Amino acid sequence: MALPAARTEVEPVTCHAPPRPALVAADLGYSAFAERNSPRYTRYAEARLAADARAASVVGATLTYARRNWTWLLSQPSPAADVWEELRFQVRCGCDEAMPRDADVAVLYDRLPETSADSVVLCRHLGLRVGEAAELMGLEPPAVKAGLGIARRALPHLADGVPG
Protein backbone atom coordinates (compact mmCIF):
# COMPACT_ATOMS: atom_id res chain seq x y z
CA MET A 1 0.00 0.00 0.00
CA ALA A 2 1.45 3.35 -1.04
CA LEU A 3 1.59 6.30 1.27
CA PRO A 4 -0.15 9.45 0.11
CA ALA A 5 2.14 12.03 -1.39
CA ALA A 6 3.06 14.92 0.87
CA ARG A 7 1.43 18.20 -0.01
CA THR A 8 3.96 20.69 -1.21
CA GLU A 9 1.52 23.54 -1.76
CA VAL A 10 0.88 25.79 1.14
CA GLU A 11 -2.53 27.38 1.26
CA PRO A 12 -2.36 31.07 1.98
CA VAL A 13 -3.55 32.09 5.39
CA THR A 14 -6.17 34.78 5.21
CA CYS A 15 -6.09 37.22 8.06
CA HIS A 16 -8.97 39.53 8.62
CA ALA A 17 -7.95 42.59 10.52
CA PRO A 18 -10.23 43.37 13.39
CA PRO A 19 -12.53 46.31 12.70
CA ARG A 20 -11.07 49.64 13.65
CA PRO A 21 -12.75 51.20 16.71
CA ALA A 22 -13.65 54.35 14.78
CA LEU A 23 -15.50 52.33 12.13
CA VAL A 24 -17.32 50.31 14.76
CA ALA A 25 -18.31 53.51 16.57
CA ALA A 26 -19.54 55.04 13.30
CA ASP A 27 -21.62 51.94 12.55
CA LEU A 28 -23.11 52.05 16.02
CA GLY A 29 -23.78 55.77 15.68
CA TYR A 30 -25.56 55.26 12.38
CA SER A 31 -27.58 52.36 13.80
CA ALA A 32 -28.70 54.44 16.77
CA PHE A 33 -29.56 57.37 14.48
CA ALA A 34 -31.60 55.18 12.13
CA GLU A 35 -33.39 53.37 14.95
CA ARG A 36 -34.34 56.63 16.64
CA ASN A 37 -35.43 58.51 13.53
CA SER A 38 -36.89 55.88 11.22
CA PRO A 39 -40.33 55.77 12.90
CA ARG A 40 -40.59 59.56 12.95
CA TYR A 41 -39.40 59.84 9.35
CA THR A 42 -42.02 57.27 8.38
CA ARG A 43 -44.82 59.16 10.12
CA TYR A 44 -43.74 62.38 8.40
CA ALA A 45 -43.60 60.71 4.98
CA GLU A 46 -46.99 59.08 5.54
CA ALA A 47 -48.47 62.49 6.41
CA ARG A 48 -47.16 63.91 3.14
CA LEU A 49 -47.75 61.00 0.76
CA ALA A 50 -50.91 59.13 -0.15
CA ALA A 51 -49.42 55.64 -0.24
CA ASP A 52 -47.86 54.06 2.84
CA ALA A 53 -45.75 51.87 0.55
CA ARG A 54 -44.35 55.01 -1.08
CA ALA A 55 -43.58 56.44 2.37
CA ALA A 56 -41.63 53.31 3.29
CA SER A 57 -39.67 53.58 0.05
CA VAL A 58 -38.87 57.25 0.70
CA VAL A 59 -37.61 56.53 4.22
CA GLY A 60 -35.59 53.56 2.96
CA ALA A 61 -33.92 55.72 0.31
CA THR A 62 -33.19 58.41 2.90
CA LEU A 63 -31.60 55.99 5.34
CA THR A 64 -29.59 54.39 2.54
CA TYR A 65 -28.26 57.85 1.69
CA ALA A 66 -27.38 58.41 5.36
CA ARG A 67 -25.64 55.03 5.66
CA ARG A 68 -23.56 55.52 2.53
CA ASN A 69 -22.53 59.02 3.57
CA TRP A 70 -22.36 58.55 7.34
CA THR A 71 -18.67 59.38 7.77
CA TRP A 72 -19.08 62.55 5.72
CA LEU A 73 -22.30 63.46 7.55
CA LEU A 74 -20.50 63.24 10.87
CA SER A 75 -18.08 65.92 9.67
CA GLN A 76 -20.93 68.34 8.94
CA PRO A 77 -22.28 70.95 11.38
CA SER A 78 -25.65 69.17 11.61
CA PRO A 79 -25.94 65.59 10.29
CA ALA A 80 -29.64 65.61 11.24
CA ALA A 81 -30.24 68.67 9.04
CA ASP A 82 -28.49 67.07 6.07
CA VAL A 83 -30.46 63.83 6.41
CA TRP A 84 -33.69 65.82 6.89
CA GLU A 85 -32.95 67.66 3.64
CA GLU A 86 -32.55 64.29 1.89
CA LEU A 87 -35.87 63.12 3.37
CA ARG A 88 -37.55 66.29 2.08
CA PHE A 89 -36.04 65.67 -1.36
CA GLN A 90 -37.27 62.07 -1.40
CA VAL A 91 -40.75 63.16 -0.27
CA ARG A 92 -40.88 65.87 -2.96
CA CYS A 93 -40.05 63.21 -5.54
CA GLY A 94 -42.82 61.04 -4.09
CA CYS A 95 -45.26 63.96 -4.17
CA ASP A 96 -44.57 64.38 -7.86
CA GLU A 97 -45.76 60.82 -8.43
CA ALA A 98 -48.86 60.84 -6.21
CA MET A 99 -51.37 63.19 -4.64
CA PRO A 100 -50.85 64.02 -0.96
CA ARG A 101 -52.92 62.13 1.58
CA ASP A 102 -54.32 65.32 3.14
CA ALA A 103 -55.43 68.39 1.18
CA ASP A 104 -54.55 70.67 4.13
CA VAL A 105 -50.99 69.37 4.07
CA ALA A 106 -50.79 70.13 0.36
CA VAL A 107 -51.94 73.71 1.05
CA LEU A 108 -49.25 74.11 3.72
CA TYR A 109 -46.51 73.21 1.25
CA ASP A 110 -48.02 75.32 -1.52
CA ARG A 111 -48.35 78.47 0.58
CA LEU A 112 -45.60 78.36 3.22
CA PRO A 113 -41.82 78.08 3.30
CA GLU A 114 -40.88 74.43 3.63
CA THR A 115 -39.56 74.76 7.19
CA SER A 116 -42.83 76.36 8.31
CA ALA A 117 -44.88 73.65 6.63
CA ASP A 118 -42.67 70.93 8.13
CA SER A 119 -43.02 72.53 11.57
CA VAL A 120 -46.82 72.44 11.31
CA VAL A 121 -46.88 68.85 10.08
CA LEU A 122 -44.52 67.67 12.81
CA CYS A 123 -46.07 69.63 15.68
CA ARG A 124 -49.75 69.71 14.74
CA HIS A 125 -50.35 66.62 12.67
CA LEU A 126 -47.84 64.32 14.36
CA GLY A 127 -47.97 65.85 17.85
CA LEU A 128 -44.23 66.36 18.33
CA ARG A 129 -43.03 68.95 20.80
CA VAL A 130 -41.12 71.90 19.36
CA GLY A 131 -37.81 70.59 20.74
CA GLU A 132 -38.36 67.14 19.24
CA ALA A 133 -39.32 68.60 15.85
CA ALA A 134 -36.23 70.82 15.95
CA GLU A 135 -33.98 67.86 16.75
CA LEU A 136 -35.50 65.81 13.93
CA MET A 137 -34.99 68.61 11.39
CA GLY A 138 -31.53 69.49 12.71
CA LEU A 139 -32.62 72.98 13.75
CA GLU A 140 -32.69 74.97 16.95
CA PRO A 141 -36.11 75.24 18.66
CA PRO A 142 -36.41 79.00 17.91
CA ALA A 143 -36.29 78.20 14.17
CA VAL A 144 -39.24 75.81 14.55
CA LYS A 145 -41.11 78.37 16.68
CA ALA A 146 -40.50 80.99 13.99
CA GLY A 147 -41.81 78.58 11.34
CA LEU A 148 -44.93 77.96 13.40
CA GLY A 149 -45.41 81.72 13.84
CA ILE A 150 -45.24 82.25 10.08
CA ALA A 151 -47.81 79.49 9.61
CA ARG A 152 -50.16 80.96 12.25
CA ARG A 153 -50.07 84.36 10.54
CA ALA A 154 -50.42 83.06 6.98
CA LEU A 155 -52.79 80.13 7.50
CA PRO A 156 -54.33 80.38 10.97
CA HIS A 157 -57.05 77.84 10.15
CA LEU A 158 -54.38 75.21 9.40
CA ALA A 159 -51.92 76.13 12.16
CA ASP A 160 -54.34 76.62 15.07
CA GLY A 161 -53.69 74.45 18.06
CA VAL A 162 -50.02 73.98 17.31
CA PRO A 163 -48.15 73.94 20.59
CA GLY A 164 -45.81 76.94 20.83
Side-chain angles (χ1 to χ4, degrees):
M1 181 153 118
L3 293 173
R7 288 184 59 142
T8 57
E9 295 176 25
V10 176
E11 290 189 30
V13 176
T14 306
C15 283
H16 296 286
R20 294 190 342 225
L23 294 177
V24 170
D27 287 345
L28 288 174
Y30 167 77
S31 296
F33 177 87
E35 185 175 324
R36 175 163 173 74
N37 292 317
S38 180
R40 298 183 299 177
Y41 287 170
T42 300
R43 290 178 57 215
Y44 169 79
E46 287 172 350
R48 299 243 357 238
L49 301 168
D52 289 345
R54 185 70 186 129
S57 173
V58 159
V59 172
T62 300
L63 292 175
T64 297
Y65 160 83
R67 178 69 194 107
R68 288 183 180 154
N69 296 289
W70 189 246
T71 303
W72 175 80
L73 286 165
L74 291 177
S75 71
Q76 300 307 299
S78 177
D82 291 322
V83 177
W84 184 257
E85 195 56 42
E86 178 66 18
L87 178 62
R88 281 177 167 171
F89 169 76
Q90 294 292 335
V91 166
R92 281 192 300 271
C93 291
C95 286
D96 291 344
E97 297 173 11
M99 293 299 296
R101 178 185 306 252
D102 184 331
D104 287 346
V105 170
V107 170
L108 290 171
Y109 286 92
D110 284 342
R111 308 244 336 256
L112 294 173
E114 198 167 29
T115 297
S116 294
D118 284 347
S119 297
V120 172
V121 167
L122 292 173
C123 294
R124 179 176 186 220
H125 292 269
L126 303 183
L128 274 59
R129 294 178 321 279
V130 167
E132 188 178 5
E135 176 212 335
L136 191 64
M137 292 191 287
L139 302 173
E140 293 297 321
V144 174
K145 287 181 182 180
L148 292 171
I150 290 168
R152 281 189 196 104
R153 286 187 297 282
L155 301 168
H157 64 290
L158 296 179
D160 284 344
V162 176

